[in-house]
Amino acid sequence: MLEKIIILDFGSQYTQLIARRVRELNVYCEIHPFNKIPELSTDVKGIILSGSPYSVRQEDAPQVDLGQFTNYPTLAVCYGAQYIAQHSGGEVQPSSTREYGRANLNFVATDNKLLKNIALDSQVWMSHGDTITKVPEHFELIASTDSVKVAAYQVKGSETYGIQFHPEVTHSIDGKQLLENFLVDICGCKQEWTPYAFVETTIAELKAQLGDDKVVLGLSGGVDSSVAAVLLHKAIGANLHCIFVDNGLLRKDEYAAVLEQYKHLGLNIKGVDAKERFLSQLAGVTDPELKRKAIGRVFIEVFDTEAHLVEDVKWLAQGTIYPDIIESVSVNGGPSATIKSHHNVGGLPDFMKLKVVEPLKTLFKDEVRRVGTSLGLEHFIIGRHPFPGPGLAIRILGEVTAEKVAILQEADAIYINNLKEAGLYDKVWQAGAIFLPVQSVGVMGDERTYENAIALRAVESVDGMTADWCHLPYPVLAKISNEIINKVKGINRVVYDISSKPPATIEWE
């Protein structure tokens, strides 16, 4: 039985980061909203309570019955720590000083299991407006900073701990050590959650779940669908039918390249050229959401037609990963705010009347890559940058035309090839060129030009949830700009996007 840690989410921006850190220590964990707690089975080894944008003093603050965790080791972070303290007879008040950013521990109970190998003066990261001003008598103070006396506590006679700093962020220097102390020494986790263990377990589960049924999967050439395909192929062989749709919005020569790449994997794959159909539906459409919906609608129609050419198909496989699952569930019980429609088309299963199988739904993106490596996938597949489902349609601002797609494909190819030649491609999380709906004056030779501009985007990230713009070397940017302007007819200006996420998104639309 797979041992696990349950993380209760009170709405913190750091909750997914806690889960990632736990997974990095080879311990499986799941995130659940505080108001949708699953039945705690015998395979649950411990509980982590997240932080929250709420104050425990608010009337509408998230509430949870702490009694159900009595028999489980519990680590409460920030809001969680304050919630336990307040509901046990302690006091939580607004901080008299700003408690945000770096701080250092000036007291550490080094004999406490949670703080083993954590040195005095260790740097931690604070992020809260309230603070615990008084703890109940049955609480033991185990760490302090200059401005936060109750930086950490243990409830005496139990394995319940509270900390008012964030061990999951890299600014907390010994955060990983603290989490390992909790997971291994206190919860007794065996650290058996590895890519190889996941592959072995998942293939066995897929065999049992699918039997001799036929499964259809839409391949995109990206990491998620590729890894999902190989896992399914190992489980059910030729009963997996892969479909790769050319929507006319792929990178230059990508359709042929992807089909060629998959040949050696032994996958049962069919390519479908639907370029004209997609582009005709995008004519005159300028709104980003309407573009996404048009592409989604046509994809469903094309995919459904091709899928039902497979006789007796029963299942639809999708490359859904864990952040997709988490983001669809709000801690307040309602739908999360829509920033943009995900292209992992939610209507596809209902439309096709097929059962759904999602072999990667418990994995983060970096875990998908590690699983792919353990399956023997080559680096050019594992290391591919994320690419939006709607393709270049959302990198062409405004109306999409075949001419604009061709221009952007050429500019994008020059950009990506230069990153690879400079040894920078693998250091960038995601890169792409954007066709801007503006024209500017230029001079080429002795002639005045009035042509379009291209923006270059390159970001560093771990999982796409947050991202920072890449500081690419100026000589490389200069070479890329020069090549695009000289070789791509219709472009006379290149700019570089230096916006981070948030407040900007990675894609422009």
Side-chain angles (χ1 to χ4, degrees), residues 419-492:
L419 290 179
K420 289 178 177 177
E421 288 172 10
L424 295 169
Y425 183 83
D426 290 337
K427 297 176 183 177
V428 172
W429 163 264
Q430 186 170 342
I434 296 94
F435 186 99
L436 303 183
V438 294
Q439 291 181 300
S440 66
V441 174
V443 178
M444 300 185 81
D446 294 326
E447 295 183 4
R448 176 183 180 275
T449 62
Y450 190 58
E451 296 179 326
N452 292 100
I454 287 284
L456 304 179
R457 182 79 159 133
V459 297
E460 298 171 338
S461 182
V462 175
D463 54 16
M465 304 299 293
T466 60
D468 198 7
W469 61 278
C470 292
H471 296 239
L472 297 179
Y474 289 161
V476 174
L477 286 172
K479 182 172 181 287
I480 293 167
S481 174
N482 190 53
E483 280 192 41
I484 290 174
I485 292 171
N486 284 328
K487 294 182 179 180
V488 183
K489 185 174 175 57
I491 301 298
N492 69 354

Side-chain angles (χ1 to χ4, degrees), residues 207-487:
K207 285 180 177 179
Q209 180 183 13
L210 303 173
D212 294 326
D213 290 351
K214 291 181 181 178
V215 179
V216 65
L217 167 69
L219 273 178
S220 67
V223 180
D224 300 340
S225 66
S226 300
V227 174
V230 174
L231 270 173
L232 284 158
H233 181 68
K234 286 185 176 293
I236 62 172
N239 277 342
L240 172 66
H241 295 261
C242 298
I243 297 170
F244 181 40
V245 177
D246 183 1
N247 59 11
L249 304 164
L250 303 172
R251 284 186 153 134
K252 183 182 179 183
D253 301 329
E254 187 166 28
Y255 180 62
V258 167
L259 289 176
E260 183 64 31
Q261 287 168 6
Y262 283 121
K263 275 184 181 178
H264 75 284
L265 294 176
L267 295 178
N268 184 6
I269 181 170
K270 178 182 181 181
V272 181
D273 183 349
K275 293 193 288 287
E276 296 300 326
R277 190 165 172 179
F278 278 90
L279 289 172
S280 67
Q281 292 300 307
L282 289 170
V285 181
T286 58
D287 181 87
E289 275 298 292
L290 294 179
K291 285 199 281 188
R292 287 174 177 269
K293 287 174 179 174
I295 292 166
R297 185 184 67 254
V298 177
F299 178 80
I300 286 174
E301 293 168 358
V302 172
F303 190 84
D304 183 61
T305 299
E306 295 297 328
H308 281 96
L309 294 177
V310 179
E311 193 175 341
D312 296 326
V313 64
K314 299 282 180 64
W315 296 82
L316 168 69
Q318 290 188 314
T320 311
I321 62 175
Y322 200 38
D324 299 328
I325 303 290
I326 299 167
E327 288 169 19
S328 68
V329 181
S330 166
V331 297
N332 295 318
S336 300
T338 299
I339 297 173
K340 60 179 74 166
S341 301
H342 281 283
H343 187 62
N344 206 355
V345 188
L348 196 55
D350 293 336
F351 182 88
M352 297 181 67
K353 303 296 187 288
L354 296 176
K355 293 182 283 187
V356 178
V357 57
E358 298 170 316
L360 307 179
K361 66 182 179 183
T362 62
L363 300 183
F364 287 101
K365 178 70 100 176
D366 58 322
E367 292 177 311
V368 174
R369 287 198 167 102
R370 290 200 293 272
V371 166
T373 300
S374 73
L375 286 167
L377 268 71
E378 295 186 45
H379 180 71
F380 63 76
I381 294 177
I382 297 299
R384 278 174 64 102
H385 288 181
F387 188 68
L392 299 180
I394 59 168
R395 291 183 179 175
I396 295 172
L397 307 195
E399 183 183 7
V400 178
T401 66
E403 181 187 12
K404 290 178 184 177
V405 171
I407 290 172
L408 184 56
Q409 284 176 330
E410 292 297 328
D412 182 76
I414 290 170
Y415 182 26
I416 298 301
N417 289 339
N418 269 279
L419 290 179
K420 289 178 177 177
E421 288 172 10
L424 295 169
Y425 183 83
D426 290 337
K427 297 176 183 177
V428 172
W429 163 264
Q430 186 170 342
I434 296 94
F435 186 99
L436 303 183
V438 294
Q439 291 181 300
S440 66
V441 174
V443 178
M444 300 185 81
D446 294 326
E447 295 183 4
R448 176 183 180 275
T449 62
Y450 190 58
E451 296 179 326
N452 292 100
I454 287 284
L456 304 179
R457 182 79 159 133
V459 297
E460 298 171 338
S461 182
V462 175
D463 54 16
M465 304 299 293
T466 60
D468 198 7
W469 61 278
C470 292
H471 296 239
L472 297 179
Y474 289 161
V476 174
L477 286 172
K479 182 172 181 287
I480 293 167
S481 174
N482 190 53
E483 280 192 41
I484 290 174
I485 292 171
N486 284 328
K487 294 182 179 180

Side-chain angles (χ1 to χ4, degrees), residues 138-245:
H138 62 293
F139 279 38
E140 178 186 355
L141 181 65
I142 59 174
S144 304
T145 71
D146 286 339
S147 59
V148 182
K149 183 179 180 182
V150 188
Y153 65 74
Q154 179 180 2
V155 180
K156 294 177 183 177
S158 77
E159 296 289 15
T160 297
Y161 301 82
I163 53 178
Q164 287 202 96
F165 54 88
H166 289 273
E168 68 276 14
V169 302
T170 54
H171 302 300
S172 290
I173 302 301
D174 294 314
K176 184 177 180 180
Q177 178 67 58
L178 185 148
L179 288 172
E180 186 171 2
N181 292 343
F182 177 71
L183 298 170
V184 179
D185 297 341
I186 296 170
C187 296
C189 294
K190 296 174 184 175
Q191 297 180 284
E192 295 175 337
W193 171 254
T194 64
Y196 296 99
F198 173 83
V199 168
E200 185 178 337
T201 303
T202 302
I203 290 174
E205 289 174 350
L206 289 171
K207 285 180 177 179
Q209 180 183 13
L210 303 173
D212 294 326
D213 290 351
K214 291 181 181 178
V215 179
V216 65
L217 167 69
L219 273 178
S220 67
V223 180
D224 300 340
S225 66
S226 300
V227 174
V230 174
L231 270 173
L232 284 158
H233 181 68
K234 286 185 176 293
I236 62 172
N239 277 342
L240 172 66
H241 295 261
C242 298
I243 297 170
F244 181 40
V245 177

